Amino acid sequence: MAGHTNYQQVRSEVDRVCRDCGRDPSSVVLVAVSKTVGADKVGVALGEGALDFGENRPDDLVAKHEAYPQARWHFIGNVQSRRLRDIVPVAHLVHSVYKVEHLPKIDAVARDCGKDCAILLEVNVSGEESKGGAPVEQAGELLEVASGLEHVQVRGLMTMAPRGDAAIARACFDDLHALLASLNRQFAARLDVPLSELSMGMSEDWREAIAAGATMVRIGRAVFSQSFA
Ligand SMILES: *Cc1c(COP(=O)(O)O)cnc(C)c1O
């Protein structure tokens, strides 16, 4: 028995928080981060209405995509050049691109599989050294390079906030939102479509992220752990 997940509970809470902030619930995608659970739980969550799933290891992304190709698979982990041939063909969206050198490689793999690869640029807004992501000052350069590539589509930005302080997390999310607006102004002439996605917020800080304009929240433990309060 695979049991159940908390997907529906979390989705209704997300909807309620959206309404409380005057936002349309359909403007926020709940990415159920399934990295700590097996494919059986993914199947359960799919049955409960989940559609978007996040994985941080290429092998798990590939295996779970193979088990459930009808789901949308988001790659949220560390990007390595040698794994792009695994990631790009199956990823609905790669959230965690922050090295300039990866952009032409993603473009080449996408071209080879006859698709465009949708990505987000991961930005380390908090400046915490332990976190991935480009420094804020490099976001423009990344976008500049990506906007010249035919098979790479930058949809927006992603960040991770420091843990443990809601006010700091909120400030971090507000900063990412402001950066998105600033890049859209700076690149207005070069982007076919403005950047629109803000992937921010996890189990402990997704409420702050939605208040700050998140369009995607990446929630793992609150969806899949029976003990998460
Ligand atoms: C694991 C992970 C999440 C989900 O974290 P939870 O705290 O379990 O909600 C979100 N984003 C990234 C990049 C992750 O690695």
Side-chain angles (χ1 to χ4, degrees), residues 11 14-19 22-30:
R11 183 67 242 190
V14 165
D15 292 356
R16 188 173 48 74
V17 170
C18 284
R19 286 191 208 96
R23 298 191 54 196
D24 180 347
S26 71
S27 68
V28 178
V29 171
L30 167 51

Side-chain angles (χ1 to χ4, degrees), residues 33 35 56 76 158 160 163 202-203 218-221:
V33 176
K35 66 189 183 190
N56 67 344
I76 62 172
M158 183 273 232
M160 292 172 73
R163 291 227 158 138
M202 311 181 10
S203 290
R218 309 177 309 271
I219 306 185
R221 285 167 300 151

Side-chain angles (χ1 to χ4, degrees), residues 101-181:
E101 73 203 59
H102 288 148
L103 293 168
K105 294 177 180 168
I106 294 170
D107 185 60
V109 176
R111 186 196 55 224
D112 288 352
C113 39
K115 69 178 256 186
D116 286 353
C117 185
I119 67 166
L120 305 178
L121 302 174
E122 181 177 355
V123 181
N124 184 350
V125 182
S126 71
E128 268 193 317
E129 279 189 24
S130 60
K131 293 253 186 311
V136 171
E137 313 79 65
Q138 262 175 33
E141 184 194 348
L142 282 160
L143 187 54
E144 173 90 54
V145 172
S147 63
L149 298 169
E150 200 179 338
H151 301 281
V152 174
Q153 307 295 336
V154 183
R155 302 266 194 249
L157 305 176
M158 183 273 232
T159 200
M160 292 172 73
R163 291 227 158 138
D165 185 318
I168 291 174
R170 174 63 198 261
C172 195
F173 299 147
D174 285 336
D175 285 351
L176 194 73
H177 195 163
L179 178 61
L180 184 94

Side-chain angles (χ1 to χ4, degrees), residues 210-224:
I210 287 178
T215 63
M216 297 184 166
V217 289
R218 309 177 309 271
I219 306 185
R221 285 167 300 151
V223 169
F224 289 108

